[in-house]
Amino acid sequence: MSAAESRTPSWARPVPAGRAGAPGSRALLGAFAAAAAVDLGSLLADWNLGHVLAKPLLMPLLVAYVITRGAPRLLVAALLFGWGGDLALLFDAEAAFLIGMGSFAVGHVCYLVLFGRRPANPLLGGAYLLALLGTVGLMWPDLPADLRIPVAGYSLLLTAMAFRSSALGPRAGIGGALFLISDTLIATGVAAWPQLPRPDFWIMATYLAAQYLLATGALARTQAYGRQVIQD
């Protein structure tokens, strides 16, 4: 083990390179894409059964894919907590909404720890802060009273994750921004604001793109680090 590798916590290290090119990687990614197509198509067609069947498959397939590519444990955990949120939001009840939001929040914490202390553009941070204050401020009067504090707290954590994701590069940064857009669309629905046609489609489309870009952006950085360790 090199000096650089020994300073890295076990949860942040990639799996050994021999596992990163497992034969099933492309098949798993293809299965994820197929499940995403079924889910999004079902939302466009207003076929609820297709959405209920496809949605629970999405994150497990993405998790399986990133594991074959040598994902760090925190990336796997972030995606699995996203899966927990997906399952909770299949139920149309306030308690399920809060459970789902809590599960996503833990996933964001996993992402934040994974991103580490890498520097990010402070101007981008200022833009995200303005977006947070403006969005929460505008929605606050229209949110149910018992959801205002949880939504505001979650929004702060989500915005921090979106901003910090840019430290891993443009791919992960776009993923973080899309996650913010997806959850903002959910919040505008909770606030009973006017919605786009087929709002569930846009929520899921931006969410799936976000998780994929965050996952593959983190993988790219992990693999680059692995190459650096080998050289060291």
Side-chain angles (χ1 to χ4, degrees):
M1 181 182 295
S2 70
E5 188 177 14
S6 65
R7 292 193 301 268
T8 304
S10 60
W11 44 257
R13 294 177 195 158
V15 298
R19 291 174 55 190
S25 289
R26 290 185 180 180
L28 288 167
L29 185 58
F32 169 73
V38 170
D39 186 57
L40 295 176
S42 298
L43 292 172
L44 285 175
D46 201 20
W47 183 37
N48 187 59
L49 178 60
H51 174 60
V52 169
L53 293 175
K55 188 179 183 182
L57 300 176
L58 293 165
M59 289 305 105
L61 287 170
L62 188 57
V63 165
Y65 167 70
V66 300
I67 287 175
T68 66
R69 296 292 308 278
R73 294 183 180 93
L74 273 175
L75 175 58
V76 173
L79 294 173
L80 287 176
F81 280 111
W83 181 48
D86 291 346
L87 295 179
L89 294 184
L90 285 172
F91 299 93
D92 187 16
E94 185 174 307
F97 175 77
L98 290 171
I99 291 170
M101 187 165 59
S103 189
F104 281 122
V106 178
H108 295 326
V109 172
C110 292
Y111 274 129
L112 283 168
V113 178
L114 178 62
F115 298 155
R117 298 182 180 179
R118 298 178 181 90
N121 190 327
L123 293 178
L124 182 61
Y128 271 121
L129 178 60
L130 289 175
L132 170 67
L133 295 175
T135 303
V136 173
L138 288 172
M139 284 194 301
W140 186 268
D142 299 322
L143 289 169
D146 58 337
L147 290 181
R148 287 173 181 168
I149 298 300
V151 168
Y154 176 80
S155 298
L156 176 61
L157 184 58
L158 170 63
T159 304
M161 186 281 294
F163 165 57
R164 291 295 305 147
S165 67
S166 63
L168 293 189
R171 176 185 288 262
I174 293 171
L178 287 174
F179 214 133
L180 180 62
I181 291 171
S182 180
D183 281 5
T184 300
L185 291 174
I186 294 176
T188 59
V190 174
W193 282 15
Q195 299 290 292
L196 295 169
R198 301 293 183 189
D200 288 346
F201 169 82
W202 296 110
I203 289 168
M204 281 303 297
T206 49
Y207 168 70
L208 290 174
Q211 291 283 42
Y212 172 77
L213 291 172
L214 283 167
T216 53
L219 281 175
R221 178 55 67 99
T222 298
Q223 290 165 357
Y225 173 80
R227 289 192 293 270
Q228 181 183 355
V229 167
I230 292 171
Q231 291 171 356
D232 291 344

